[in-house]
Amino acid sequence: MNRIAYINNQPHAFHEGETILKFVKRVTGQEKIIPTLCDAPNLDPFGSCRVCSVDVALEEGGKTKTMASCHSPVAAGQYIYPDSKQVKKLRKNIMELVLTDHPLDCLTCEVNGNCELQDVAAQVGIREVRYPEGKNHLDRTKDLSHPYMTSDMSKCINCYRCVRACDEVQGEFVLSMAGRGFDSHIVKGNDLTFMESDCVSCGACAQACPTSAISDVFQSKAVHTEETTRTICTYCGVGCNLEVNTANGEILSIQAPYDAQTNGGHTCLKGRYAFKFYNHPDRLRSPLIKRNGKFEEATWDEAYTHIENELNRIKAESGPDAIAGISSARTPNEENYLMQKFIRAVVGTNNIDCCARVCHSPTALGMQRAFGTGAATNSISDLEHTDCILVIGANPTDAHPVTGVKIKQKFMKGVTSIVIDPRRIELAKYATYHLQLRPGTNVAMLNMMLYYIISEGWVDDEFVANRTEGFEALKKEILALDMDEMERLTGVDRNLVKEATKAYAASKAAMEFHGLGVTEHSQGTFAIQLIADLVMITGNIGKPGAGMNPLRGQNNVQGAADMGAQPHQGAGYLDVTDPEMNHRYNTFYKREVPSHIGYKIPEMFDAAINGDLKALWIIGEDVVQTDPNTNKVIKAMESVDLLVVQELFMTETAMRATVVLPGASFLEKEGTFTNGERRIQRVNKVVEPLEGTKPDGQIIIDMMNRMGYEQPDYTAKGMLEEISQIVPFFAGVKWDELGQNGKQWPVKPNGEDTQMLHIEEFKNGKGQFAFYSFSESKELEKYSKDFPYIITTNRELEHYNCGAMTRRTGNVDILTEDVLLIHPDDATKEGIADGEFVCVESPRGKVDIKALVTDEMKPGILSSTFHFPEVMLNIITSDEHCSEAMCPEYKVVSCRLRKSKGKFKQMAEASTVVTN
Amino acid sequence: MSKNLSELSGRGGIVDNLFEKMGNAAEKSGTVSQEELDRLAKEFLVGKANTYGTVTAYDFMKPENKGKKAYICNGSACLCAGTQDKVMDSLSEHYKREEIGHMTCLGRCHENSAFHIGGVNYSGDASQKMSEIVSTQGALQPKDAYNVGSNKELLTEAFTDVDAYYSIIHDVLKRSPEEVLGEIKDSNIRGRGGAGFPMGVKWDFCRKAESDTKFIICNADEGDPGAYSDRYLLEERPHSVLFGMMVGGFCMGAQWGILYIRAEYPESVDIVNAAIQELRDRNLLGDNILGTGFNFDFKVIKAQGAYICGEETALINSIEGQRPEVRTRPPFPAIQGLFNKPTIVNNVETLAAVHWILDNGGSAYAALGTDKSTGTKLVCLDSFFNKPGMYEVEMGTSLRTVIDDFGGGFKEPVKAMHIGGPLGGMVPVSKIDDLAIDFESFSTNGFLLGHASVVCIPEKIEIIKYLEHLMEFAAYESCGKCFPCRLGTTRGQEMFAKAINDENYKIDRDLLNDLLDTLQEGSLCAHGGGIPLPVKNALHYFEDELSQYLA
């Protein structure tokens, strides 16, 4: 077909389905050639403002028809006149109408100089408003109820961009128009304030608003910014790009770039608004050395000397294996690389681990066993190509909000969707199937699914034959299973499982996502391998819209493991026990690196308690608050001679340190983060490190040099050059070539990156099927009789892990405490009312926590978070862990309940009085 | 036009319908309680803002409607007839002022004095029996009477009985959908809703759209003051409409026929529901009808008072429980309509012609009327005629014939006729002999056939006041989505009102022309786009009368 249309009589080729607006913008290269108000880069065309109208004729100079260019597709042979006299007049007339109901207080308006209404008014040349004074909405009051969101609806022009952002981007439906015609107006919820509404504070509406009608307390759209720096969010593994606005070296606000592949103009409230921790008064500003049980401020030199002496002493007395390090998945690749290098090459031990241990270590191990690579097989953008989404043990709308809402958008639009989770999480409400299993029974559930696929003949025979090994053995084991037993174990109707399985198997491309609800179990790695079975048996790997995609927890947990912050594999996942690899490391680091596997985190704690481990160096991880069985962790911390903690804040772990070193936040340093889809992105320094603090990489380098290892001063570029020589899949990664959206590893030496893995073959050739049968957690076997409830831990949107950062932002005003989710039946049985304090006791200890009565879980199942040190929920969690990867079993904890006594009872009564 | 809301609302199919639930919830008190709105939001997985935003956009669900016990018609015909002050006085004897609401056109334009109490419409001399009506609350249901006549009976053909009427469905369902659609195409029938789009072409779009689920909707939201021909068909010939929808469903592969009937026509809702039951009793609905493999059923959705729902995309939004806002096209409803599925929306009168077309053949229908306007047209005449009523005339019949031969001429001096609804043209009596009832005659003369209903503007009514009334109506019924209509109709109404009330104020002609052009060229739909036509006609034909208000 002839795809030619004319702009001012000049012929141009157009793309199929292209709107006139996009066509004219593209051809002319002028973004603002046609004025628009209701159009926005990340929203569907809407056609309300009509200022984008153009004249269109069917022949040169012929009779024209006025069309809104934003939603009218170009047709062959059209003669488009984007700036005819008539349309210019029309635009001016529309703007004149708009200004009859808009305050003309531009000089004092927050968005003065950065207001789209102002720009369009100037562009169309409005000089007067001729209408007599009439009805208007100038007297609307401001809404300043919320810690972040603000509104001044007198500035609203009814473009619906906020409503559409809340719907099309976030999918939350907090905003709508209400009323009709001239009276139509934006409402939050059923005409509430932002604070009263269900707003999740993502800020999409504020960013979308072309005026200051909806904004935020940071006045993100104001023009007082001097500089804008693009960087990567430090919270979860989605890897959202942020544009950070600064003036005078101070951060003013954060917005989301529309061209970011990870987040396309969107963020959650953590990314956009929870940045005020960076210069919070609580930030550590000086090294501290504990003397006689008290911290004393010290110079860097004193602190370094103290550490150096202690490390040398311990090494001399007990050998290098008495020293261990825990690197931080919050810090960039380069710093992780340095930490593991320091521990391995300078200290001389493989006792290095990172928080991947307590989250996705089973994923890495299980997927390596099955596919050869322990990382997401596909990219998040594959959601555009999938027709079935399976979410297992993940609650992405809270924990990975930007990816979560992308998934939710697909769920809402009716893609076949399956959620396997003990809780009726947000996604489960929209899912086609929710398999609400009992915590700890993933293996049984996956066995059931495999059973139906095999017994019903839903196997992708061709894929299985060509790409995999071990199918026959799997088949034999699976077919021998007793579905009655599986049904009883999981507590899920087998027909529902069968139906959901059929939907997964029958889809053209099914995409799997999972989180810690799979890994944090005693059978975590087995469950991962069974998911890999499910993916392979249906041929859902190596093609668009499919794959197995762990939702990595921390912003750089993928990178921390990639860089070798784990005891059995060095940088680039090379096996430390393999002589050839060992030789490679020795040569590269110019030091003898041990070839025996070091301690995993739980082993470090055991070794500390039994006296084998004398020194522990932790970067940016609050193990006391977040690792299970707090009392044991505390004991471990108190057992070592030297506990070095690099931190931003005086966390529960830092409090127990012998030396505290004040690190720098992500906003104060440069490097790269690797997100959950293997995307290596540039973290650019926004502001200088707070006085008295140092970037964590430089701290490590300082120590390396002091301990006799020559390591040049830190630059991200220099570090990447070094890393690219040892990490095979970083071969082509260069600081200057990462661009705005980074590159997905493996990156070939020529710089070419990889969106999808395992297309032709798996890393190790054939995919490996494996069978594992269900076994009950020892926690339940041992304790369920006396501790009949199961508590499973989760996350809340507003807070990040131990909350050291988010609790020092406005987020804490939105979500103020950890609560215990309890089923109404259980609440009745235990005589507990909503809002009352409950004492939850496990074999490890007890905590008092406020009850939130909800039927999100089945009776007998409780759920809570560990964001707040006031509760310290991990006092009750167990140190059972995955038999293979040693990931702790946070998801299955035996406990019993009773109403709180003493001060908690009084606290609940006091808060009830306040509420009433 | 939220795709998400369409999809979520559609999860319950048409049977478990959000909008219907809202309407039912509003039935008692006149609005939906906050708790119920929140509950519905939860049930349908939409936002609390959405259910709230929706009810606030409908006259009979919005919070302001709470406690309304009686409604008085404020449509153009009753206004011109000048009957409503008296009705209001009469109502005021029984109800407090805040208990009396408005309904815009009850379709009693032939006898006026229209009002609505307890789900029943009254008109003519009913207001004289107000005490009895109020005390019996709906027990007294006087049926209105109007003349019906024709010079070619297709739609007004006598209806014998259901079985006889549906005897041809057996043959129809045995033919291929393409073949049946061919007859419709051959008939050249054009949509009677206003736009005049060929129905066969529209059905074909939908037939070609690939989807397991499709809908055919009958737009029975006859909101145009002056028109009651749809009401006639719904109440007197309901099976003609149902038959047309069934055939449409057969042609395009739709399983559901939905009748969206305005709340102002409570009798129509009951009668259509009874007619559907007659089909159900005869096993002419459901799965595998007459063993042909054709599955089809009906659902009646009662509207809740928003004129804009006469616009097909606003109507679709409405059925979804969304705000009655106009959608952009593309996508056209035939490709992505109700619940994002292919959907056809047809007017009552267009659908009612299908039976005759299939009975007599498409070419027989095409032979009636003019080349481009085939078949017949229903025309409603208001109470300014000696013989008010609804007449079926062959397309091309002169307007003079309609007025004199059917209407029996005017009762009192009339200066203009507003033909085709509020968005139709204002025809001065001097133009009567230039016009015939067909699409082309009206458009070439600068008018619009539209619904072809006639509201007379008597000599005694000032044109400027009529224009203010029109703009007030347009502003009140604007959905508010597009800027020109939301703002422009209000500013227009304000200008006319100021000109009437403030003798020192003259309307700036340039400004008025700019406003009319902005509405006409800039509006998203025919509501804002159409309202300038009668105003422009008035400025053209009644310059002498209006010039005193202009500068």
Side-chain angles (χ1 to χ4, degrees):
Chain A
M1 202 181 85
N2 172 23
R3 288 209 191 109
I4 298 290
Y6 301 80
I7 299 174
N8 288 328
N9 301 329
Q10 295 301 308
H12 299 281
F14 65 88
H15 304 151
E16 178 71 31
E18 198 171 24
T19 62
I20 293 177
L21 179 65
K22 283 193 177 142
F23 175 55
V24 174
K25 277 194 201 174
R26 179 176 58 78
V27 166
T28 60
Q30 291 174 260
E31 191 54 33
K32 294 193 168 171
I33 185 164
I34 298 174
T36 60
L37 282 173
C38 68
D39 192 55
N42 56 345
L43 304 176
D44 287 343
F46 191 65
S48 70
C49 78
R50 320 303 287 172
V51 296
C52 71
S53 293
V54 295
D55 273 344
V56 180
L58 294 177
E59 54 187 2
E60 190 172 332
K63 188 166 179 278
T64 58
K65 192 178 169 208
T66 306
M67 297 169 96
S69 62
C70 70
H71 65 83
S72 304
V74 193
Q78 277 180 339
Y79 284 77
I80 298 162
Y81 301 98
D83 48 7
S84 72
K85 218 173 132 188
Q86 295 95 295
V87 296
K88 280 181 165 174
K89 194 174 170 196
L90 175 65
R91 290 170 190 161
K92 196 170 160 180
N93 284 335
I94 295 172
M95 285 304 291
E96 185 181 4
L97 282 169
V98 174
L99 296 186
T100 61
D101 193 14
H102 192 81
L104 302 178
D105 59 356
C106 297
L107 286 182
T108 53
C109 181
E110 159 187 340
V111 295
N112 186 21
N114 186 27
C115 169
E116 292 182 44
L117 184 67
Q118 212 174 35
D119 292 348
V120 174
Q123 195 178 353
V124 303
I126 284 280
R127 293 294 173 268
E128 59 170 340
V129 174
R130 296 168 294 172
Y131 291 94
E133 202 185 315
K135 285 195 286 184
N136 60 59
H137 303 100
L138 306 184
D139 57 350
R140 288 173 176 155
T141 49
K142 290 184 182 181
D143 175 4
L144 302 173
S145 61
H146 193 274
Y148 296 132
M149 311 308 303
T150 64
S151 75
D152 175 0
M153 289 304 176
S154 71
K155 306 279 172 68
C156 178
I157 59 168
N158 288 40
C159 68
Y160 292 70
R161 274 162 63 165
C162 57
V163 175
R164 291 145 64 207
C166 196
D167 169 348
E168 295 170 27
V169 179
Q170 177 64 28
E172 209 64 33
F173 309 114
V174 171
L175 300 170
S176 171
M177 202 60 89
R180 195 167 79 192
F182 190 77
D183 294 328
S184 50
H185 56 281
I186 300 291
V187 287
K188 303 142 199 159
N190 42 34
D191 207 10
L192 307 168
T193 63
F194 264 126
M195 197 57 180
E196 293 161 337
S197 75
D198 297 331
C199 174
V200 293
S201 329
C202 69
C205 55
Q207 182 161 333
C209 177
T211 71
S212 60
I214 295 188
S215 185
D216 54 55
V217 295
F218 303 114
Q219 305 195 352
S220 300
K221 289 175 285 189
V223 290
H224 48 268
T225 297
E226 279 171 4
E227 213 178 326
T228 296
T229 310
R230 183 153 167 165
T231 192
I232 307 303
C233 181
T234 190
Y235 288 108
C236 75
V238 172
C240 291
N241 286 218
L242 306 177
E243 271 173 4
V244 189
N245 301 314
T246 52
N248 296 319
E250 194 186 333
I251 296 172
L252 303 176
S253 63
I254 292 179
Q255 291 203 289
Y258 289 110
D259 66 352
Q261 283 175 19
T262 48
N263 55 315
H266 194 41
T267 69
C268 72
L269 86 164
K270 294 191 284 279
R272 194 189 297 269
Y273 294 135
F275 62 87
K276 290 298 271 185
F277 68 86
Y278 91 96
N279 62 355
H280 193 278
D282 288 354
R283 269 286 294 274
L284 297 166
R285 286 168 162 84
S286 164
L288 303 169
I289 300 174
K290 196 177 269 172
R291 293 192 174 100
N292 304 319
K294 274 191 175 167
F295 282 122
E296 289 175 10
E297 287 194 2
T299 64
W300 281 97
D301 193 53
E302 285 166 350
Y304 284 157
T305 306
H306 181 92
I307 298 168
E308 186 189 347
N309 292 342
E310 279 293 278
L311 287 179
N312 285 334
R313 177 185 66 79
I314 292 164
K315 202 167 156 181
E317 287 173 6
S318 313
D321 285 342
I323 300 167
I326 299 178
S327 190
S328 173
R330 310 298 298 281
T331 63
N333 285 320
E334 296 72 10
E335 297 184 338
N336 274 285
Y337 171 81
L338 280 165
M339 180 61 175
Q340 65 86 32
K341 184 177 174 185
F342 169 66
I343 295 290
R344 287 197 163 100
V346 183
V347 176
T349 173
N350 277 316
N351 290 341
I352 175 75
D353 210 350
C354 71
C355 71
R357 181 66 46 217
V358 298
C359 64
H360 270 292
S361 53
T363 294
L365 180 61
M367 288 178 75
Q368 279 181 19
R369 285 178 179 175
F371 309 140
T373 305
T377 65
N378 289 52
S379 303
I380 298 299
S381 59
D382 278 47
L383 280 170
E384 292 313 310
H385 310 290
T386 191
D387 59 356
C388 177
I389 300 171
L390 169 61
V391 178
I392 313 180
N395 182 16
T397 54
D398 277 307
H400 302 85
V402 167
T403 296
V405 299
K406 284 182 185 174
I407 296 173
K408 183 176 166 183
Q409 288 287 343
K410 298 294 289 182
F411 274 36
M412 286 196 290
K413 291 191 179 66
V415 73
T416 301
S417 45
I418 306 159
V419 169
I420 303 179
D421 203 293
R423 278 172 71 205
R424 194 177 64 250
I425 55 169
E426 174 83 353
L427 285 179
K429 295 175 194 162
Y430 298 90
T432 326
Y433 305 97
H434 178 203
L435 310 181
Q436 195 169 9
L437 77 184
R438 191 246 291 172
T441 62
N442 286 325
V443 165
M445 174 59 70
L446 291 159
N447 278 342
M448 277 174 104
M449 294 176 79
L450 288 165
Y451 176 87
Y452 288 118
I453 288 176
I454 295 171
S455 65
E456 296 293 324
W458 300 330
V459 177
D460 182 338
D461 294 322
E462 199 184 321
F463 188 92
V464 167
N466 297 334
R467 299 280 311 267
T468 66
E469 286 172 353
F471 177 70
E472 287 307 321
L474 173 79
K475 184 176 172 180
K476 199 175 147 218
E477 298 278 7
I478 287 287
L479 291 180
L481 291 168
D482 174 4
M483 286 303 108
D484 288 343
E485 196 196 347
M486 301 292 115
E487 189 174 39
R488 185 183 56 76
L489 286 168
T490 59
V492 183
D493 181 309
R494 72 174 80 185
N495 293 317
L496 188 67
V497 176
K498 187 175 170 182
E499 226 181 290
T501 306
K502 186 180 182 184
Y504 177 83
S507 59
K508 285 184 204 127
M511 203 165 176
E512 185 272 353
F513 293 95
H514 68 266
L516 309 187
V518 174
T519 56
E520 289 177 343
H521 288 284
S522 51
Q523 288 194 296
T525 303
F526 298 158
I528 291 293
Q529 288 184 260
L530 288 165
I531 295 172
D533 287 348
L534 191 66
V535 167
M536 289 190 289
I537 204 170
T538 53
N540 272 308
I541 190 162
K543 64 184 183 186
M548 178 162 172
N549 303 284
L551 291 162
R552 302 305 302 255
Q554 310 214 340
N555 54 313
N556 197 38
V557 71
Q558 180 67 53
D562 295 346
M563 293 301 110
Q566 42 181 0
H568 65 300
Q569 291 170 327
Y573 297 110
L574 309 181
D575 182 354
V576 296
T577 62
D578 183 326
E580 195 187 324
M581 299 306 161
N582 182 255
H583 177 68
R584 215 167 131 182
Y585 285 133
N586 291 344
T587 316
F588 191 71
Y589 296 146
K590 301 192 184 75
R591 281 288 197 281
E592 282 298 312
V593 178
S595 58
H596 59 276
I597 294 172
Y599 292 135
K600 299 180 179 77
I601 290 175
E603 291 171 330
M604 290 178 191
F605 298 158
D606 287 337
I609 291 166
N610 70 27
D612 291 338
L613 188 72
K614 308 281 188 199
L616 179 59
W617 187 319
I618 301 176
I619 304 180
E621 192 176 345
D622 187 358
V623 291
V624 171
Q625 192 183 325
T626 64
D627 279 38
N629 196 354
T630 309
N631 291 327
K632 181 179 169 184
V633 179
I634 291 173
K635 196 172 172 200
M637 296 300 112
E638 288 169 349
S639 300
V640 291
D641 296 349
L642 176 70
L643 176 62
V644 181
V645 175
Q646 270 171 251
E647 255 302 348
L648 300 181
F649 298 103
M650 187 53 75
T651 60
E652 295 295 317
T653 305
M655 271 185 241
R656 288 158 175 97
T658 41
V659 182
V660 175
L661 301 173
S665 75
F666 83 111
L667 293 159
E668 300 157 325
K669 54 188 171 188
E670 62 172 28
T672 54
F673 289 158
T674 304
N675 80 352
E677 46 169 11
R678 301 168 277 103
R679 188 186 297 274
I680 308 152
Q681 302 191 97
R682 270 177 70 151
V683 178
N684 294 303
K685 184 163 77 178
V686 178
V687 290
E688 288 302 320
L690 212 62
E691 202 183 328
T693 70
K694 280 188 186 201
D696 299 86
Q698 188 58 46
I699 296 173
I700 301 300
I701 288 173
D702 290 347
M703 280 309 301
M704 289 168 93
N705 284 310
R706 273 181 169 259
M707 293 181 72
Y709 188 96
E710 241 176 80
Q711 180 74 31
D713 272 350
Y714 184 94
T715 64
K717 185 177 176 171
M719 287 311 308
L720 272 181
E721 255 173 45
E722 181 176 335
I723 293 166
S724 66
Q725 291 169 49
I726 185 73
V727 175
F729 46 88
F730 265 56
V733 177
K734 292 189 174 64
W735 177 252
D736 295 328
E737 291 176 8
L738 282 172
Q740 299 278 47
N741 283 298
K743 289 185 175 183
Q744 287 173 272
W745 67 250
V747 182
K748 290 181 191 161
N750 66 5
E752 200 181 300
D753 74 343
T754 313
Q755 282 82 49
M756 198 198 308
L757 303 177
H758 318 304
I759 298 174
E760 299 291 331
E761 58 178 8
F762 291 100
K763 187 154 180 274
N764 297 340
K766 301 257 181 183
Q768 302 297 317
F769 279 111
F771 171 77
Y772 297 98
S773 62
F774 171 80
S775 68
E776 194 69 270
S777 167
K778 288 198 185 68
E779 169 79 358
L780 299 184
E781 278 182 355
K782 283 193 270 186
Y783 302 118
S784 64
K785 197 160 162 275
D786 296 330
F787 299 86
Y789 288 95
I790 298 175
I791 185 164
T792 186
T793 61
N794 66 75
R795 307 288 184 274
E796 291 289 350
L797 169 71
E798 288 80 3
H799 291 289
Y800 196 83
N801 212 357
C802 71
M805 289 150 77
T806 49
R807 284 186 286 104
R808 291 181 172 91
T809 68
N811 289 28
V812 80
D813 297 325
I814 302 173
L815 190 81
T816 53
E817 59 191 342
D818 291 324
V819 292
L820 179 79
L821 309 188
I822 174 169
H823 192 276
D825 293 356
D826 295 334
T828 309
K829 198 164 79 186
E830 306 291 341
I832 294 161
D834 193 67
E836 270 185 337
F837 272 90
V838 188
C839 180
V840 187
E841 189 181 1
S842 82
R844 271 76 51 190
K846 55 189 176 189
V847 297
D848 288 275
I849 184 168
K850 211 181 256 181
L852 176 74
V853 178
T854 166
D855 62 357
E856 270 179 36
M857 304 84 43
K858 289 183 175 175
I861 311 299
L862 310 167
S863 185
S864 187
T865 49
F866 47 77
H867 298 308
F868 287 82
E870 290 80 1
V871 170
M872 287 294 256
L873 192 93
N874 279 312
I875 287 173
I876 63 169
T877 51
S878 90
D879 47 2
E880 286 298 329
H881 47 68
C882 170
S883 58
E884 308 297 292
M886 288 199 99
C887 181
E889 192 166 49
Y890 290 95
K891 302 292 181 182
V892 184
V893 179
S894 296
C895 62
R896 60 188 173 211
L897 297 177
R898 63 166 166 79
K899 231 186 236 194
S900 290
K901 294 172 187 162
K903 68 170 180 171
F904 289 103
K905 196 178 163 204
Q906 286 156 16
M907 275 162 65
E909 281 162 2
S911 73
T912 318
V913 172
V914 173
T915 334
N916 293 344
Chain B
M1 55 172 230
S2 159
K3 280 186 197 144
N4 283 332
L5 294 178
S6 300
E7 197 71 37
L8 292 170
S9 171
R11 288 192 175 189
I14 187 64
V15 178
D16 187 19
N17 183 261
L18 174 58
F19 184 68
E20 186 178 48
K21 288 185 170 179
M22 287 174 172
N24 291 343
E27 200 120 280
K28 240 185 182 164
S29 73
T31 190
V32 190
S33 69
Q34 202 79 271
E35 299 73 46
E36 181 62 8
L37 285 176
D38 291 354
R39 200 196 61 73
L40 285 171
K42 199 173 170 193
E43 181 184 337
F44 284 85
L45 302 170
V46 302
K48 292 173 186 169
N50 301 122
T51 50
Y52 178 79
T54 294
V55 298
T56 57
Y58 291 90
D59 286 342
F60 308 135
M61 298 200 292
K62 62 187 180 188
E64 300 90 308
N65 189 52
K66 190 174 178 179
K68 292 274 185 281
K69 292 180 177 160
Y71 297 85
I72 182 165
C73 178
N74 66 347
S76 309
C78 282
L79 175 101
C80 287
T83 55
Q84 300 308 83
D85 287 350
K86 241 180 165 175
V87 177
M88 187 53 116
D89 289 346
S90 180
L91 283 170
S92 300
E93 287 173 21
H94 300 275
Y95 299 102
K96 292 183 203 138
R97 199 51 216 254
E98 61 270 19
E99 290 173 339
I100 305 169
H102 284 113
M103 280 189 175
T104 305
C105 198
L106 299 177
R108 300 293 180 95
C109 317
H110 55 93
E111 56 182 21
N112 310 115
S113 302
F115 60 99
H116 174 110
I117 292 174
V120 184
N121 287 346
Y122 302 91
S123 55
D125 51 14
S127 63
Q128 293 165 16
K129 298 177 205 155
M130 194 64 83
S131 301
E132 198 187 335
I133 289 167
V134 172
S135 60
T136 56
Q137 275 295 331
L140 189 70
Q141 298 204 2
K143 199 164 161 59
D144 66 321
Y146 47 87
N147 296 304
V148 176
S150 178
N151 62 7
K152 183 70 204 171
E153 289 183 355
L154 267 62
L155 305 176
T156 53
E157 224 176 12
F159 182 84
T160 47
D161 70 274
V162 179
D163 292 318
Y165 194 77
Y166 282 89
S167 61
I168 66 167
I169 199 75
H170 298 258
D171 296 333
V172 170
L173 298 184
K174 273 182 209 148
R175 295 163 79 181
S176 73
E178 292 83 356
E179 213 181 317
V180 178
L181 183 52
E183 293 286 357
I184 305 296
K185 282 184 178 170
D186 288 348
S187 75
N188 266 337
I189 184 170
R190 291 166 63 181
R192 286 351 187 195
F197 193 80
M199 179 157 78
V201 178
K202 204 167 170 177
W203 283 11
D204 206 21
F205 280 143
C206 190
R207 192 180 72 81
K208 286 175 181 155
E210 277 181 36
S211 176
D212 297 341
T213 310
K214 296 181 188 180
F215 300 97
I216 178 166
I217 298 172
C218 171
N219 180 349
D221 195 38
E222 182 177 56
D224 286 352
Y228 48 99
S229 43
D230 288 352
R231 184 166 76 84
Y232 162 81
L233 292 168
L234 294 167
E235 292 173 8
E236 306 295 332
R237 298 287 183 275
H239 281 293
S240 66
V241 184
L242 298 179
F243 182 91
M245 293 178 76
M246 251 174 116
V247 172
F250 177 69
C251 287
M252 65 192 78
Q255 303 81 6
W256 278 102
I258 302 164
L259 295 107
Y260 185 86
I261 305 177
R262 58 198 307 252
E264 294 88 339
Y265 288 175
E267 293 86 354
S268 302
V269 172
D270 294 342
I271 292 168
V272 168
N273 271 322
I276 292 170
Q277 190 54 46
E278 288 178 325
L279 292 180
R280 204 175 302 289
D281 294 344
R282 287 166 174 77
N283 291 323
L284 286 171
L285 294 178
D287 287 349
N288 194 18
I289 297 169
L290 300 171
T292 59
F294 175 51
N295 308 329
F296 196 77
D297 213 328
F298 285 109
K299 169 93 178 181
V300 172
I301 297 282
K302 192 170 139 190
Q304 293 297 334
Y307 173 74
I308 199 64
C309 290
E311 197 284 338
E312 62 175 359
T313 60
L315 186 155
I316 288 170
N317 272 343
S318 180
I319 297 176
E320 291 174 352
Q322 294 204 56
R323 291 170 50 73
E325 287 168 356
V326 175
R327 298 180 179 183
T328 55
R329 299 176 184 80
F332 289 91
I335 308 301
Q336 201 181 96
L338 184 65
F339 308 136
N340 295 331
K341 304 291 183 199
T343 302
I344 283 298
V345 183
N346 284 131
N347 173 261
V348 174
E349 191 179 331
T350 332
L351 289 164
V354 171
H355 189 274
W356 196 94
I357 293 168
L358 293 183
D359 212 7
N360 298 273
S363 48
Y365 189 87
L368 297 172
T370 69
D371 264 6
K372 290 185 175 168
S373 301
T374 60
T376 61
K377 180 78 199 80
L378 300 180
V379 181
C380 300
L381 303 182
D382 72 0
S383 64
F384 282 95
F385 291 88
N386 284 311
K387 288 197 286 173
M390 198 221 58
Y391 301 102
E392 178 175 24
V393 296
E394 191 171 347
M395 283 281 199
T397 303
S398 75
L399 183 58
R400 176 64 70 190
T401 306
V402 173
I403 291 171
D404 290 349
D405 296 358
F406 288 101
F410 300 116
K411 262 184 207 158
E412 61 172 284
V414 161
K415 57 180 156 189
M417 291 173 293
H418 196 183
I419 302 182
L423 314 177
M426 191 185 287
V427 181
V429 286
S430 59
K431 290 290 283 181
I432 290 173
D433 289 323
D434 296 344
L435 293 167
I437 301 294
D438 65 70
F439 292 109
E440 287 68 34
S441 169
F442 270 68
S443 62
T444 52
N445 279 286
F447 305 111
L448 187 84
L449 181 66
H451 219 285
S453 54
V454 181
V455 171
C456 292
I457 305 171
E459 286 284 1
K460 66 187 179 204
I461 288 197
E462 276 190 84
I463 291 293
I464 187 111
K465 287 196 174 152
Y466 190 80
L467 294 182
E468 198 229 333
H469 157 75
L470 261 189
M471 274 297 183
E472 189 186 11
F473 172 82
Y476 184 75
E477 297 294 354
S478 166
C479 78
K481 176 172 169 179
C482 81
F483 289 22
C485 180
R486 171 173 58 86
L487 296 159
T489 51
T490 290
R491 297 299 172 230
Q493 187 264 332
E494 286 171 349
M495 279 159 75
F496 287 126
K498 197 170 168 68
I500 293 166
N501 299 320
D502 179 353
E503 59 185 40
N504 296 317
Y505 176 77
K506 304 280 178 232
I507 298 170
D508 177 345
R509 271 179 202 270
D510 289 343
L511 178 60
L512 180 59
N513 287 331
D514 279 353
L515 174 64
L516 295 174
D517 288 347
T518 304
L519 281 165
Q520 193 169 313
E521 300 300 320
S523 295
L524 172 60
C525 82
H527 185 73
I531 203 70
L533 177 70
V535 183
K536 283 184 171 180
N537 290 154
L539 288 169
H540 180 71
Y541 293 108
F542 296 94
E543 162 73 23
D544 288 352
E545 193 187 318
L546 289 172
S547 61
Q548 55 175 315
Y549 299 106
L550 303 169

